[in-house]
Amino acid sequence: MSQQRRVAIVTGSARGIGAAVAQRLAVDGNAVAVLDLDEAACAGTVDAIKAAGGEAIAVGANVADEESVAAAVEKIATELGAPTILVNNAGIIRDNMLFKMSVDDWDSVLAVHLRGAFLMARACQKHMVDAKFGRIVNLSSTSALGNRGQANYSAAKAGMQGFTKTLAIELGKFGVTANAIAPGFIETDMTAATAARVGVPYEDFKKGAASQIPVNRVGQPEDIAHTASFFASEGAGFVSGQVVYVAGGPKD
């Protein structure tokens, strides 16, 4: 359990990894802002948190839009309190081979992942600095190491690691840590979409992935939530600028 109630924001938390992280942070004793593009879509996560005795609100925001982010963070600070935990999870995929990838597909992915993380971190850091405590957790991916058909997504997720390390350097003296989680194959709507793109039944896709993973299974959103919980904890204050591959085995 957290040593005290803190306010956490989890972006892209209407479902999947984000929803699991939001629920885990609530179990840890934090009040959670469940943020996604569509506020109504956040209801399921908010209801699950409240049903378990936690505190949460739904917030609709476009993380790639500066004004939308500013309004969202202000709303959260007013309704829940100053946010001192931020999990930048919001993301989209627009997969294609380089010669087929449009400029819009490139820009959209970079905007949601990197611009979104930048805008959210910039808006929240002042609250963290004032509190002399902050935890920023950014979602990278094993795709940061390169992945066929994902030039945009791979670039964004690699960029997230450099962004994380820089935040750790700049904000450390204010009691703020920044770390990144790089998931491997996690069973979500996003990996289901990838299977559909390559024309493989999802169950077969998962079995094929599991056969290449040392622990012999694909990951679940809760696997990422456990790691996010550690990074967000008070006990992780001497861990910063790190990238942890939560992938069921070693990654280079």
Side-chain angles (χ1 to χ4, degrees):
M1 295 292 291
S2 292
Q3 294 181 29
Q4 66 181 80
R5 171 192 181 275
R6 299 195 184 275
V7 175
I9 301 175
V10 184
T11 69
S13 51
R15 62 184 190 276
I17 289 173
V21 170
Q23 291 176 58
R24 175 57 190 266
L25 293 183
V27 168
D28 291 342
N30 302 294
V32 181
V34 178
L35 187 151
D36 215 297
L37 187 60
D38 178 9
E39 183 172 317
C42 300
T45 305
V46 171
D47 289 347
I49 289 172
K50 289 183 175 179
E55 182 182 4
I57 62 170
V59 181
N62 176 2
V63 297
D65 181 82
E66 186 175 7
E67 291 184 3
S68 182
V69 165
V73 173
E74 180 62 29
K75 171 185 171 74
I76 293 161
T78 299
E79 296 189 16
L80 286 181
T84 55
I85 298 171
L86 170 64
V87 180
N88 282 311
N89 168 74
I92 60 172
I93 54 172
R94 296 290 186 270
D95 294 351
N96 226 325
M97 298 298 288
L98 180 63
F99 74 97
K100 292 182 180 179
M101 186 173 290
S102 69
V103 172
D104 284 346
D105 285 346
W106 175 271
D107 288 346
S108 296
V109 170
L110 270 291
V112 174
H113 292 269
L114 276 179
R115 179 183 171 92
F118 156 68
L119 290 174
M120 289 299 304
R122 191 182 65 173
C124 291
Q125 60 85 29
K126 57 186 176 182
H127 296 290
M128 298 177 181
V129 170
D130 288 345
K132 297 181 175 59
F133 176 94
R135 299 287 185 264
I136 299 172
V137 182
N138 294 320
L139 269 291
S140 180
S141 168
T142 54
S143 290
L145 303 172
N147 197 32
R148 182 180 176 87
Q150 288 192 319
N152 49 3
Y153 186 76
S154 295
K157 290 309 194 182
M160 197 72 88
Q161 297 188 16
F163 178 61
T164 298
K165 292 175 183 293
T166 301
L167 292 184
I169 294 168
E170 292 188 5
L171 300 176
K173 65 182 178 181
F174 302 109
V176 180
T177 66
N179 292 285
I181 302 171
F185 191 110
I186 307 296
E187 188 173 350
T188 64
D189 291 346
M190 191 173 284
T191 49
T194 300
R197 175 177 64 84
V198 299
V200 176
Y202 194 35
E203 288 303 314
D204 293 342
F205 194 61
K206 288 188 292 183
K207 287 178 182 177
S211 70
Q212 302 299 313
I213 297 172
V215 299
N216 200 36
R217 70 170 176 89
V218 299
Q220 298 299 317
E222 291 74 20
D223 291 312
I224 306 306
H226 291 313
T227 308
S229 173
F230 167 69
F231 280 146
S233 70
E234 294 189 21
F238 203 55
V239 181
S240 195
Q242 302 305 303
V243 179
V244 173
Y245 284 84
V246 183
K251 293 291 179 180
D252 295 329

